[in-house]
Amino acid sequence: MRKLHAIFPVLLFLLSTVSFAQVGIGTTSPEAMLDVNGTLKVRSTVNENDIEVIQDSILVISKSGIVNTVLANDIIDAALPTIVKASFSSGGPQTLSLTLGSSKITFDSEEVDNNDEFDLTTNTFTAKQEGIYIINAQIKVDPTLISVSTDYGIGIYKNNILIAEQSYTSVVVSVPLILTDVSTSPIRSLTATTDLSVGDTIEFKLTSSRLLGLPAILTVDVLGGKTDSNFSIYQIR
């Protein structure tokens, strides 16, 4: 009987420990091992000099209120403004069809994408941060392939809606007694400033006017050199 009396307090302690595995301060319904419903005051701390600990010792509060650790680099990356620059992976001509009046420009080679916002598979930029952005885009076609007057341009589409475009007709003129032709610039370029919310998309399309319901030109060969055809997106605020 004495042994049972000696064991009973131990069992009671163990059962109490299990029952109160979650401790609440300022709440009767704790949702974590320690759930504090209120402010926290720390009177003194010790400086940490271990670089490996410093890189992974930043505390953040999740949307559900749980305190987690996060890499220091992730904090920096999340706060960095967007910088994206891309072009074509191949320097050769990229043939784009205009039978439907427009065609997505398939930029597939990144030079810079610090927040990983441009998808090389879908050729679509998706904003991860709300802000104001400057967007630059340029294409160039081989001027020797323009044998007739052609109308084409480049457009910037936000959430699949055109927000900026440069398009005009390239006029080819044969000058008597001169072996070469004189034409307007084979380059189409534009700059746009727009505000983006998280999840907004940006795409670039080759465009052409239509005549009697038919495209003015069926295909365009866009030069793939990095200085010929490219785009950039910069977040300025």
Side-chain angles (χ1 to χ4, degrees):
M1 181 63 69
R2 291 179 180 178
K3 289 183 179 180
L4 289 176
H5 282 296
I7 293 173
F8 181 77
V10 176
L11 292 175
L12 181 62
F13 173 77
L14 292 175
L15 290 173
S16 300
T17 302
V18 173
S19 299
F20 296 95
Q22 292 181 320
V23 178
I25 299 177
T27 176
T28 58
S29 303
E31 298 178 359
M33 293 298 293
L34 176 62
D35 190 340
V36 179
N37 181 20
T39 59
L40 175 67
K41 182 176 182 179
V42 179
R43 296 184 180 275
S44 64
T45 59
V46 177
N47 289 332
E48 179 59 68
N49 297 316
D50 188 331
I51 297 298
E52 292 185 0
V53 174
I54 293 172
Q55 290 176 342
D56 193 19
S57 63
I58 299 175
L59 298 181
V60 296
I61 300 176
S62 70
K63 292 180 179 179
S64 60
I66 303 299
V67 177
N68 297 317
T69 59
V70 66
L71 290 172
N73 286 340
D74 290 343
I75 294 274
I76 295 173
D77 289 342
L80 284 176
T82 290
I83 303 176
V84 179
K85 185 176 182 182
S87 55
F88 292 113
S89 58
S90 172
Q94 311 292 316
T95 301
L96 301 179
S97 172
L98 287 171
T99 55
L100 297 178
S102 66
S103 179
K104 182 187 291 189
I105 302 175
T106 54
F107 294 114
D108 61 354
S109 177
E110 293 176 334
E111 295 182 44
V112 181
D113 187 0
N114 64 326
N115 286 331
D116 193 26
E117 293 170 284
F118 185 68
D119 190 324
L120 293 174
T121 303
T122 62
N123 314 112
T124 301
F125 170 87
T126 304
K128 291 184 177 179
Q129 303 178 98
E130 181 178 347
I132 299 175
Y133 294 74
I134 293 179
I135 306 169
N136 303 292
Q138 173 181 297
I139 57 169
K140 181 180 181 180
V141 303
D142 187 344
T144 62
L145 299 179
I146 304 176
S147 57
V148 294
S149 296
T150 53
D151 182 354
Y152 65 93
I154 184 173
I156 299 175
Y157 288 74
K158 173 183 173 181
N159 297 328
N160 209 33
I161 298 174
L162 181 66
I163 62 170
E165 182 182 27
Q166 186 191 65
S167 180
Y168 56 87
T169 301
S170 290
V171 180
V172 177
V173 181
S174 296
V175 180
L177 304 180
I178 299 180
L179 296 179
T180 57
D181 293 339
V182 178
S183 66
T184 52
S185 173
I187 295 175
R188 303 290 185 269
S189 63
L190 75 165
T191 298
T193 302
T194 187
D195 63 306
L196 296 177
S197 299
V198 175
D200 282 347
T201 60
I202 293 293
E203 295 177 329
F204 304 92
K205 295 184 181 181
L206 188 70
T207 61
S208 178
S209 63
R210 301 179 72 84
L211 181 63
L212 299 177
L214 298 175
I217 183 173
L218 295 178
T219 61
V220 170
D221 287 334
V222 178
L223 296 182
K226 294 182 182 297
T227 59
D228 296 322
S229 304
N230 57 73
F231 82 86
S232 61
I233 300 176
Y234 302 94
Q235 183 182 1
I236 59 175
R237 199 177 78 180

